[in-house]
Amino acid sequence: MQLAAIKRYGYSFSASLIICMLYFLFPSSLGESIFLLAYPVLLTGCFLWGSRAGFLMLLLITLGLTGLGVPLFFTSLFGMSSLVMLFLLRKHLHIESDLREREKRLKVALESSQIGIWEFNFKSNRGKANIEHDKSDELNNFLSGVFPDDREKVKEALHHSQISGKVNMEFRITKGESLNWITVSGKVEYDAFGIPMRILGTSNDITDKKKSEEALHEALFYRDEFLSIASHELKTPLTSLKLQSQLFKRSVAKNDQMAYSHERIDRLADEVDRQVKRLTRLVDDMLDISRIRSGKLSIQPEKVNLALLASEVLERNRSMFEDNNRIAPALKRCDPCEVLCDRFRIEQVMGNLLNNAYRYGRGRPVSVEIITKGDAAHVAIIDQGIGIDGQDKEKIFTRFRRAVPASEVSGLGLGLYIAKQIVEAHGGAIRVESELNIGSTFTVELPLAQL
């Protein structure tokens, strides 16, 4: 810093000496002309080199010219006018520099906060969606980025703002193929006669906030839906168990010897076993939902003979069909194949799909096919039931969603959702093909084990 200051003072002294020499080396008229031409350069140098160095240069020139015989009035006038000009110039440039710095800071703040500035001129009926980048455009083009369903609402708000003096609203805009939410606020500027001239305001992207709100509403909906369905589904087997217990106690209280008969005991045991299994399945589904949400759904892959696993699952679920006078599902086609999977989880997927076919199959035959295509195995569960409407095909794989009202079919509405999560965790896929009143085919695709 000291070296820089010494250089500035040295430059000031040198410039002062040169100007004084030029004034006397040339004829008076030419010397004065050179002096007057150097005057703007002198002021610029004073400003650039700093006030102290500039003042020193002016002082040296004034003293030098006076000592060389230039009238004191002339040099004093020169010095005073130079100081005034220097002061005004520095003040003006300082204000401009301060404005530029403030503008720069404001721009950085707006960019970092993702806030935009917009304006609309009521007299010309033109506006800029972003005054930093956009050109002024007429109303329809100004609103071209607004989602079509929200344009009339925005137009009405702009019109109403001329009376209210402000605008505050939320609406959607299109960015490429994405749909974003923004909130805008603005204040109207009026002329001396109270006529609205323009409205100037800010805009802020609140898409993330809207998504969070939607996620919260969805979570609350699922919570209420779950509590409603779970309370009903859990109450049903408990009510049955309670009824069987009360009937047995009543028979015992009456000394009814038939209460101890093998037939009554077997029937009671079968009913208890059936309801306990139902309760166990409901609790397991709820536990799996908790594991999926927390990312703790464990997958322990091993090489599994898919045909053998399918046969075991069909045999295990045979009683579910036969106990209700239905035909047990049959394995119609079975290509020999091995997949790398968690045996228990894939068994759970097949069981969920068979249970789904049992509920919605209208008592008609259910068949299973295992087909290898390329490097994947396809497990298809085919029913001839009520079918699924096209718009419901994706919905049924979400939580607590069904193709029919919950009052018509029992269950939590979690089976297909859990199956989809398990299959995707294995790097596979699940899909459905269906027609109303004809039936549905659920296909699970799993990668084959590498040899």
Side-chain angles (χ1 to χ4, degrees):
M1 292 295 293
Q2 292 180 353
L3 181 60
I6 292 173
K7 286 184 177 180
R8 285 198 298 270
Y9 288 126
Y11 294 150
S12 298
F13 181 79
S14 301
S16 305
L17 184 60
I18 291 171
I19 291 174
C20 291
M21 291 175 62
L22 289 176
Y23 184 81
F24 285 97
L25 284 175
F26 294 94
S28 59
S29 58
L30 182 59
E32 290 177 2
S33 299
I34 294 174
F35 184 82
L36 293 174
L37 289 173
Y39 184 72
V41 179
L42 177 66
L43 289 179
T44 304
C46 290
F47 175 74
L48 293 176
W49 293 340
S51 59
R52 293 183 180 179
F55 292 154
L56 174 62
M57 182 161 56
L58 291 173
L59 180 60
L60 290 173
I61 293 173
T62 303
L63 294 175
L65 293 176
T66 303
L68 293 173
V70 178
L72 180 62
F73 173 78
F74 180 78
T75 55
S76 299
L77 182 62
F78 160 72
M80 292 299 295
S81 61
S82 298
L83 288 174
V84 172
M85 291 294 294
L86 178 61
F87 173 77
L88 294 176
L89 180 63
R90 287 183 62 83
K91 185 175 181 180
H92 174 73
L93 293 176
H94 176 74
I95 292 174
E96 286 193 350
S97 177
D98 187 52
L99 289 175
R100 285 195 298 268
E101 184 63 25
R102 291 185 181 183
E103 183 180 353
K104 182 180 178 181
R105 290 177 181 176
L106 177 61
K107 184 177 180 181
V108 171
L110 291 174
E111 289 178 352
S112 62
S113 61
Q114 296 183 337
I115 295 177
I117 301 178
W118 59 276
E119 69 170 349
F120 186 79
N121 191 301
F122 294 113
K123 291 186 176 181
S124 63
N125 206 35
R126 300 173 70 88
K128 296 180 182 179
N130 189 322
I131 63 174
E132 186 71 25
H133 306 291
D134 296 348
K135 294 181 179 179
S136 180
D137 217 334
E138 59 95 17
L139 180 60
N140 289 331
N141 291 334
F142 172 67
L143 299 177
S144 61
V146 179
F147 186 61
D149 293 350
D150 293 343
R151 286 178 189 170
E152 288 302 321
K153 178 175 69 173
V154 176
K155 286 183 180 180
E156 184 178 346
L158 284 174
H159 178 72
H160 181 70
S161 68
Q162 298 181 62
I163 302 172
S164 64
K166 60 182 180 179
V167 63
N168 288 287
M169 66 181 306
E170 297 177 358
F171 56 88
R172 293 162 291 180
I173 61 172
T174 54
K175 286 187 176 181
E177 296 183 357
S178 64
L179 189 64
N180 290 16
W181 277 92
I182 66 169
T183 177
V184 299
S185 59
K187 187 175 182 180
V188 176
E189 295 180 1
Y190 299 89
D191 62 14
F193 301 99
I195 299 175
M197 298 172 57
R198 67 167 183 167
I199 181 170
L200 184 67
T202 60
S203 62
N204 191 17
D205 193 311
I206 57 170
T207 305
D208 292 339
K209 177 185 174 183
K210 282 290 184 180
K211 288 181 179 179
S212 298
E213 290 177 355
E214 290 174 2
L216 177 60
H217 289 315
E218 185 180 18
L220 292 174
F221 168 79
Y222 281 141
R223 183 201 64 183
D224 295 340
E225 188 79 0
F226 171 75
L227 292 175
S228 174
I229 296 173
S231 62
H232 171 74
E233 292 298 327
L234 292 172
K235 190 175 181 179
T236 301
L238 289 174
T239 301
S240 178
L241 288 172
K242 183 178 180 181
L243 177 62
Q244 293 297 326
S245 174
Q246 289 175 342
L247 289 174
F248 182 73
K249 287 175 65 178
R250 191 175 301 168
S251 298
V252 172
K254 292 180 179 180
N255 293 319
D256 185 358
Q257 296 301 315
M258 291 299 295
Y260 301 99
S261 66
H262 287 292
E263 183 180 352
R264 290 279 295 273
I265 294 295
D266 288 343
R267 189 164 60 246
L268 178 61
D270 288 343
E271 180 64 20
V272 170
D273 183 62
R274 183 163 49 251
Q275 299 304 334
V276 167
K277 285 181 178 178
R278 184 174 181 181
L279 279 171
T280 302
R281 187 181 186 89
L282 293 172
V283 172
D284 286 342
D285 283 349
M286 288 187 285
L287 288 174
D288 280 338
I289 285 294
S290 177
R291 295 187 187 105
I292 290 169
R293 286 180 60 85
S294 62
K296 296 180 179 179
L297 183 68
S298 61
I299 301 294
Q300 300 176 358
E302 60 178 304
K303 272 192 176 182
V304 176
N305 186 316
L306 196 57
L308 182 59
L309 178 62
S311 299
E312 293 175 358
V313 173
L314 289 176
E315 184 62 31
R316 194 172 293 114
N317 286 273
R318 178 182 294 274
S319 60
M320 178 175 62
F321 288 83
E322 292 181 344
D323 289 350
N324 291 277
N325 298 318
R326 297 188 184 183
I327 301 173
L331 189 58
K332 295 290 186 180
R333 175 178 172 179
C334 185
D335 294 349
C337 59
E338 286 187 336
V339 294
L340 191 65
C341 68
D342 186 312
R343 183 184 184 88
F344 170 75
R345 290 301 180 185
I346 296 304
E347 179 181 333
Q348 182 181 0
V349 170
M350 292 183 182
N352 285 352
L353 293 178
L354 285 172
N355 187 63
N356 191 72
Y358 169 79
R359 290 177 177 174
Y360 300 96
R362 296 190 296 189
R364 295 178 181 176
V366 175
S367 59
V368 179
E369 295 181 353
I370 298 177
I371 305 171
T372 57
K373 295 180 182 179
D375 57 353
H378 297 255
V379 182
I381 288 83
I382 307 163
D383 67 56
Q384 302 173 42
I386 62 175
I388 305 168
D389 192 16
Q391 62 184 6
D392 293 327
K393 287 182 180 179
E394 288 299 323
K395 183 178 75 173
I396 60 174
F397 289 105
T398 57
R399 290 171 290 176
F400 314 117
R401 297 298 181 89
R402 312 158 184 262
V404 297
S407 59
E408 295 185 17
V409 180
S410 63
L412 294 174
L414 296 173
L416 292 178
Y417 172 76
I418 293 172
K420 184 174 186 291
Q421 300 301 313
I422 292 173
V423 171
E424 290 180 350
H426 282 79
I430 185 171
R431 61 182 181 273
V432 61
E433 297 175 1
S434 182
E435 291 185 43
L436 283 175
N437 300 317
I438 294 179
S440 304
T441 299
F442 286 86
T443 303
V444 173
E445 182 179 336
L446 295 170
L448 292 172
Q450 300 297 322
L451 299 177

